[in-house]
Amino acid sequence: MTTTRRDFIRKGSMAGMATYMGAMSFAASSYRRIPGANDRVRVGVVGFSDRHRGSHVPCFMNHYKELNFDVVAVSDIWSRRREEGAALWKSKMQHDIIACRNNEELYSRKLVDAVFISTADFQHAVHAIEAVNAGCDAYVEKPFAETMEDNRAALKAIKATDRIVQIGSQRRSGANYHAANEFIRSGKFGPITMVELTWNVNQPGRWRRPSLVGQLKEEDTDWKRFLINRPNDSFDARKYLEFRLFWPYSSGLPGQWMSHQIDTVHWFSGLKHPRSVVANGGIYVWKDGRKNWDTITAVFDYGPDDDPASGFQVTFASRMHNGEEKPAEIYYSNGGELNLITNVVSPTGGLTKKFADEMHMQPNLLPESSLSEAEPVVASANTGGDKLTSNHIRNWMECIRSRKTPNAPVEAGYSHSVANIMTNAAVHTGQKATFDEKTQEVMAGGKVFKY
């Protein structure tokens, strides 16, 4: 049956409504019917980061009054950030904020019901474990985990509780992404044959904090607590503040950007992880002492493990030079493409009648159709409360009230972390990385990849 443009827009709009209304479909009056809904939800901040300041704060402010939430405490091991966080939230909430020196102090005092976690990349999984073990719901920024040991431990801890954990993969709260997922899963798109993911910027200062590096003194923070489970290392203000540039504190481009885009592959396809990954790249432009590449191309093989003859390829390419802030995601089938740059499904590149006739096949060109209302991805470091993140934080807050599964549950974080760690293994070993389903380990060169 042919899908008309009107039908597709209608269904896309319905999928979009799932983002705004589905798990978040509680009008303000509905909260009164939920037990305990009149109780104010006390929120804490774990890591007063640039991401939290620039995005979580304005997004939370969009919804907190309606949903009866409050920020009451900030935990940060650096005295400066701790004081800045308490001061900023005091100005927003119009009451005093409790400043905690670390998470142990935050949780031991039973101050909060839920937390934002936006600490260094390698800390997210451990901090998520601390939160749920303390009985708190959590909004956990991506990447969820940078090692399989942390990934498995966090998944186990969260699944053992009834806590609401939202992974910061905000595409899962975008109307156009819900429409794309529904269309692909309906079968009308046809089997995915290829996915091209790109994310290019030209920002020499991206992830650099030169003005702060000179101000951070070891005595003003807790370096040992910062390291958590990473190898012992001497204090380094750059690794502390510019962690995204240094392995094993961050994987850089894969963890920061690829984790967002590869998540849509898992979501749309229903596959949990790649079968294999290879990667190449290097530090070609920004010779500033960083260890993580400024340019990468990773190639993934996806498909069922028990059917190697079927599947598709995914490429992720990213550079931090000569690029505009326009992340691109294009899905291909033999009938055309689903383009999440333009939010259009089209027959572009599909099998035409001419060539189908030559091969005695039926042409399967897709009709040109529009996805639901576009919600553009914002690639800048501090988004100022972009619509996707605002939707996503609201969904988390709604689910804290309803106890329903959020748009990006822990399983989504686990899966994007597997892909991320496989990419890290390919980067750091120069070998093809695979995944051992039985042991849940990433393998490279016949060995378990650590770091």
Side-chain angles (χ1 to χ4, degrees):
M1 186 176 76
T2 301
T3 301
T4 66
R5 185 175 188 276
R6 179 176 294 176
D7 288 338
F8 190 73
I9 292 173
R10 178 181 61 81
K11 290 185 177 181
S13 297
M14 291 173 65
M17 288 293 282
T19 303
Y20 298 106
M21 302 300 293
M24 309 186 293
S25 63
F26 303 95
S29 60
S30 301
Y31 292 107
R32 292 192 293 271
R33 296 193 296 270
I34 302 171
N38 291 327
D39 298 330
R40 180 164 295 179
V41 176
R42 304 168 301 164
V43 179
V45 176
V46 175
F48 187 69
S49 63
D50 293 336
R51 171 67 177 166
H52 180 76
R53 187 200 313 255
S55 192
H56 295 168
V57 172
C59 291
F60 180 87
M61 297 300 292
N62 289 340
H63 312 296
Y64 83 99
K65 287 184 179 179
E66 177 189 354
L67 307 184
N68 197 17
F69 277 62
D70 190 13
V71 172
V72 300
V74 171
S75 168
D76 200 296
I77 58 176
W78 185 16
S79 57
R80 173 181 175 141
R81 286 272 173 84
R82 183 165 65 244
E83 292 162 5
E84 288 177 348
L88 184 145
W89 276 113
K90 180 178 181 179
S91 71
K92 299 291 185 183
M93 297 290 99
Q94 295 298 299
H95 62 66
D96 288 339
I97 303 294
I98 299 173
C100 299
R101 294 169 298 171
N102 52 54
N103 296 343
E104 185 177 31
E105 182 178 320
L106 173 72
Y107 296 129
S108 66
R109 296 174 66 179
K110 308 294 185 184
L111 297 172
V112 295
D113 308 302
V115 291
F116 281 106
I117 296 172
S118 58
T119 46
D121 290 354
F122 74 99
Q123 299 171 340
H124 292 163
V126 175
H127 288 161
I129 293 170
E130 291 177 351
V132 299
N133 284 347
C136 291
D137 301 318
Y139 185 99
V140 186
E141 274 298 344
K142 53 83 226 154
F144 181 57
E146 295 269 32
T147 68
M148 282 308 304
E149 183 179 7
D150 289 348
N151 204 22
R152 291 190 301 269
L155 176 68
K156 182 179 179 180
I158 293 167
K159 295 295 287 182
T161 73
D162 61 353
R163 296 300 87 195
I164 300 298
V165 174
Q166 177 89 296
I167 306 302
S169 300
Q170 61 263 32
R171 279 166 170 74
R172 290 192 179 230
S173 291
N176 50 335
Y177 285 92
H178 276 266
N181 177 55
E182 181 177 290
F183 186 67
I184 289 174
R185 285 179 174 266
S186 73
K188 296 170 184 175
F189 184 65
I192 298 170
T193 59
M194 177 75 185
V195 184
E196 292 179 348
L197 310 173
T198 57
W199 196 314
N200 302 319
V201 301
N202 194 348
Q203 298 175 355
R206 190 63 172 261
W207 305 339
R208 293 290 308 275
R209 300 291 183 270
S211 63
L212 281 179
V213 166
Q215 300 175 39
L216 175 61
K217 306 302 179 186
E218 186 172 4
E219 59 267 25
D220 294 330
T221 189
D222 188 335
W223 176 248
K224 185 176 181 180
R225 191 180 287 269
F226 173 82
L227 291 176
I228 301 182
N229 56 11
R230 290 303 186 263
N232 189 34
D233 196 1
S234 57
F235 175 76
D236 188 327
R238 286 199 69 192
K239 291 175 182 176
Y240 188 107
L241 291 167
E242 300 177 348
F243 57 86
R244 294 178 181 89
L245 303 177
F246 298 99
W247 178 257
Y249 308 104
S250 172
S251 57
L253 293 169
Q256 283 294 303
W257 294 341
M258 190 196 80
S259 61
H260 277 305
Q261 295 187 319
I262 210 71
D263 176 62
T264 66
V265 176
H266 301 152
W267 183 19
F268 297 169
S269 71
L271 296 168
K272 295 181 179 179
H273 56 75
R275 289 187 294 210
S276 67
V277 185
V278 294
N280 214 330
I283 303 171
Y284 298 117
V285 178
W286 308 125
K287 313 289 186 178
D288 56 5
R290 69 182 64 200
K291 298 301 180 183
N292 289 333
W293 292 352
D294 64 16
T295 307
I296 188 174
T297 299
V299 182
F300 305 79
D301 173 54
Y302 273 89
D305 287 331
D306 60 356
D307 186 8
S310 67
F312 56 94
Q313 186 178 87
V314 177
T315 60
F316 171 76
S318 183
R319 61 181 182 267
M320 300 185 74
H321 49 87
N322 192 277
E324 297 179 298
E325 292 194 43
K326 295 180 179 178
E329 294 151 84
I330 307 176
Y331 284 74
Y332 298 95
S333 74
N334 205 34
E337 68 175 38
L338 186 154
N339 189 319
L340 282 158
I341 310 168
T342 60
N343 287 294
V344 168
V345 174
S346 74
T348 302
L351 181 64
T352 64
K353 186 176 187 306
K354 174 184 175 183
F355 292 107
D357 288 346
E358 289 179 4
M359 302 300 295
H360 306 290
M361 299 170 62
Q362 287 293 324
N364 59 348
L365 289 176
L366 295 170
E368 184 144 346
S369 311
S370 174
L371 294 172
S372 58
E373 178 187 358
E375 293 177 355
V377 174
V378 180
S380 56
N382 296 312
T383 61
D386 63 282
K387 193 172 183 180
L388 281 179
T389 303
S390 185
N391 290 349
H392 207 50
I393 287 177
R394 181 183 178 91
N395 173 247
W396 174 59
M397 296 165 74
E398 297 265 11
C399 290
I400 288 173
R401 289 293 188 194
S402 69
R403 311 314 292 175
K404 291 190 175 183
T405 302
N407 286 347
V410 63
E411 291 85 354
Y414 188 84
S415 287
H416 84 226
S417 295
V418 171
N420 182 41
I421 296 162
M422 290 175 72
T423 305
N424 295 341
V427 165
H428 289 279
T429 68
Q431 298 175 314
K432 179 185 286 188
T434 58
F435 189 67
D436 187 319
E437 194 70 46
K438 183 177 180 180
T439 63
Q440 295 290 292
E441 292 282 11
V442 170
M443 310 296 293
K447 298 179 181 179
V448 173
F449 174 70
K450 295 294 186 181
Y451 50 77

